[in-house]
Amino acid sequence: MSTTRPQKTALLVAQRIVADINRRGNTVGDRLPPERVMLEEYEVGRGTLRESLRFLELQGVIALKPGPGGGPIVRRPDPTALATSLTLLLQFDQAPLRSVAEARAGLEPALARLAAEQMTEDQLGELRAVAESSEHLDDPRGFLEQDRHFHDLVARGSGNPVLAHLSAALLLLDRPAGGTETAARRSTARQAHLRIVEAIASRDAGETQTAMADHLAQDLRHAEEAQLAAPVVWESP
Amino acid sequence: MSTTRPQKTALLVAQRIVADINRRGNTVGDRLPPERVMLEEYEVGRGTLRESLRFLELQGVIALKPGPGGGPIVRRPDPTALATSLTLLLQFDQAPLRSVAEARAGLEPALARLAAEQMTEDQLGELRAVAESSEHLDDPRGFLEQDRHFHDLVARGSGNPVLAHLSAALLLLDRPAGGTETAARRSTARQAHLRIVEAIASRDAGETQTAMADHLAQDLRHAEEAQLAAPVVWESP
């Protein structure tokens, strides 16, 4: 096994690659310079450069295309890496899934309040369409995806990218709780979503916050104790 | 450059290594099996195994000791990897530091409220000692560290490990804002910390939440516009 020294070098090179992506104004889909150019530019060995690129690939910042004509392509990172890091921290704490559900209940009402103030009319239209859809009322898995989409749109509507990313990571960690198992609960959740949409449409920050808090508290009450007590574990992304 | 296939294998092997750490009840400082044993156990090539171990090292889950008698040692991850992932997401959003300060202002009052209900007397004693210390009133850097320690203790006192980790990551991202530049502001921040300690000691959740909200709002008002407008960038950990 190698020392910790190349590791730090690999991180520093990764930082320089990201800084150069920004400096050049690269956008999604842009091809980065080929390996031989990077080796000269960053003055490191091939092993270290590949480690840097692997790290950025795991962070979702680049994709590595194989074969001739391949090489690193710029991607836009998604919250998967954030969720993985959080999961590993929680797994070492032996934290239960309840702590994720409670964190959402602590975070999302504040996000919803911001969304009532910040969400654009376009975003509100998209949110309303998701909330009004009755497409998945007979489909627990589909409804769960719809529910996540709803909560993600509220988080983005907050106008704060930090809170939106943290919320998106929590949505990836949270397992189906109490809201989607039965048709009656899916109907209740849909009603709760519609109440939140109306509160945002009225730009009523207090009512929006309360409506989201009520919705998540109800989900927590409906969730099964055994499910909430299960530990957070790192599973396939 | 290799394909995306080995990458997925490396992540799956990393998950199995973490699952085995948990299954065996390994704790910090424990040595993991040597490479030749892991190669057989996980039935992968040396390159893939090393990639898995590198990934876990970057996540802070293991340390790789070099040389003979070396090998992977179990560590407890800290919020650095979480902060790095969040930074990369924000850098691609070209998000300003203001968004980090505003996220703290959104998150920490809710954490403080929980802390008023959940913090143990031992934790409160430690928090009080940090808040009362006047050791760094003439020392901006030292006071900043003291300030971070204070906020981290409140976050841990919330009893929710998810929110505590998220808050710790935000503290790593947030650059010194308005609270530490001048002696007068350090004194004001110290008074704000003492008010929060008293509110927690009285187990007054509402007053604790308000005291934290006031403290962070004041920091935001004191921060310089140029500092808040600067983009979040990934710098040396």
Side-chain angles (χ1 to χ4, degrees):
Chain A
M1 290 292 119
S2 46
T3 70
T4 55
R5 195 161 165 73
Q7 151 116 4
K8 281 191 187 154
T9 310
L11 269 186
L12 290 174
V13 171
Q15 285 175 351
R16 289 180 58 197
I17 294 171
V18 170
D20 286 341
I21 288 172
N22 279 283
R23 189 178 45 74
R24 286 189 299 258
N26 284 138
T27 52
V28 175
D30 283 359
R31 189 182 298 271
L32 294 185
E35 189 176 63
R36 60 178 169 71
V37 174
M38 283 204 192
L39 286 171
E40 276 179 30
E41 188 157 340
Y42 301 118
E43 296 176 310
V44 287
R46 182 169 278 118
T48 302
L49 177 64
R50 286 189 174 171
E51 199 186 324
S52 307
L53 293 172
R54 279 295 194 195
F55 174 76
L56 293 176
E57 189 182 28
L58 288 170
Q59 293 286 343
V61 170
I62 60 171
L64 294 173
K65 269 185 63 181
I73 308 276
V74 176
R75 282 180 56 196
R76 190 180 189 82
D78 68 29
T80 309
L82 189 65
T84 297
S85 294
L86 183 58
T87 300
L88 284 167
L89 287 165
L90 294 171
Q91 190 159 340
F92 273 74
D93 292 334
Q94 302 184 298
L97 274 170
R98 172 186 290 282
S99 62
V100 178
E102 288 179 348
R104 285 188 59 197
L107 184 63
E108 291 194 38
L111 277 167
R113 166 180 273 275
L114 286 171
E117 294 160 352
Q118 302 289 335
M119 191 174 263
T120 65
E121 289 300 319
D122 278 358
Q123 288 177 313
L124 180 59
E126 192 180 353
L127 186 72
R128 186 187 291 278
V130 172
E132 287 181 347
S133 164
S134 49
E135 189 183 343
H136 298 293
L137 278 177
D138 292 327
D139 164 17
R141 253 191 111 79
F143 191 84
L144 182 68
E145 281 314 305
Q146 182 180 331
D147 178 76
R148 285 188 173 153
H149 190 191
F150 178 86
H151 286 271
D152 195 45
L153 287 174
V154 174
R156 287 163 194 251
S158 73
N160 185 296
V162 180
L163 294 172
H165 291 310
L166 297 181
S167 176
L170 292 186
L171 281 170
L172 288 176
L173 262 66
D174 205 16
R175 296 279 163 264
T180 62
E181 282 90 350
T182 68
R185 284 186 187 163
R186 289 191 290 277
S187 177
T188 304
R190 182 168 174 272
Q191 291 305 317
H193 290 175
L194 289 171
R195 178 183 164 203
I196 292 164
V197 169
E198 290 318 316
I200 295 174
S202 314
R203 302 297 174 180
D204 184 339
E207 159 63 8
T208 306
Q209 181 164 8
T210 304
M212 181 63 88
D214 288 352
H215 171 39
L216 293 173
Q218 187 165 55
D219 266 10
L220 257 169
R221 277 197 307 276
H222 282 163
E224 288 181 28
E225 193 44 52
Q227 203 172 28
L228 291 174
V232 175
V233 291
W234 185 31
E235 290 165 341
S236 297
Chain B
M1 290 290 121
S2 46
T3 69
T4 55
R5 193 160 167 75
Q7 149 118 6
K8 281 189 186 156
T9 309
L11 269 186
L12 290 173
V13 171
Q15 285 175 352
R16 290 180 58 197
I17 293 171
V18 170
D20 287 341
I21 288 172
N22 279 283
R23 190 179 45 72
R24 286 190 300 258
N26 284 138
T27 52
V28 174
D30 283 359
R31 190 182 298 270
L32 294 185
E35 188 176 66
R36 60 179 168 71
V37 174
M38 283 203 192
L39 287 172
E40 276 179 31
E41 189 157 339
Y42 301 117
E43 296 176 310
V44 286
R46 182 169 278 118
T48 302
L49 177 64
R50 288 189 173 173
E51 199 185 327
S52 306
L53 293 172
R54 280 293 193 197
F55 174 77
L56 292 176
E57 188 182 29
L58 287 170
Q59 293 287 341
V61 169
I62 60 171
L64 294 173
K65 270 184 62 180
I73 308 276
V74 176
R75 283 179 56 194
R76 190 180 189 82
D78 68 28
T80 309
L82 189 66
T84 297
S85 294
L86 183 58
T87 300
L88 284 168
L89 287 165
L90 294 171
Q91 190 161 340
F92 273 75
D93 292 334
Q94 302 184 297
L97 274 169
R98 171 185 291 282
S99 63
V100 178
E102 288 179 347
R104 286 189 59 197
L107 185 63
E108 291 194 39
L111 276 167
R113 167 180 274 275
L114 287 170
E117 293 159 354
Q118 303 289 335
M119 190 175 264
T120 66
E121 290 301 319
D122 278 358
Q123 288 176 315
L124 180 58
E126 192 181 353
L127 186 73
R128 186 187 291 279
V130 171
E132 287 180 347
S133 163
S134 48
E135 189 184 343
H136 297 294
L137 279 178
D138 292 326
D139 164 17
R141 254 191 112 79
F143 191 85
L144 182 68
E145 281 314 305
Q146 182 181 333
D147 179 76
R148 285 189 173 150
H149 190 192
F150 178 86
H151 286 272
D152 194 46
L153 288 173
V154 173
R156 287 163 194 249
S158 72
N160 185 294
V162 180
L163 294 172
H165 291 310
L166 297 182
S167 177
L170 292 187
L171 281 170
L172 288 176
L173 261 67
D174 204 17
R175 295 279 164 264
T180 62
E181 282 89 350
T182 67
R185 285 187 186 162
R186 289 191 291 276
S187 177
T188 304
R190 182 167 173 273
Q191 291 304 318
H193 289 176
L194 289 170
R195 178 183 163 202
I196 292 165
V197 169
E198 289 318 317
I200 295 174
S202 315
R203 302 296 174 181
D204 185 338
E207 160 64 7
T208 306
Q209 181 164 9
T210 305
M212 182 63 88
D214 288 351
H215 171 40
L216 293 174
Q218 188 163 54
D219 266 10
L220 257 170
R221 276 197 306 277
H222 282 163
E224 288 180 30
E225 192 46 49
Q227 203 173 27
L228 291 174
V232 176
V233 292
W234 186 31
E235 290 165 341
S236 297

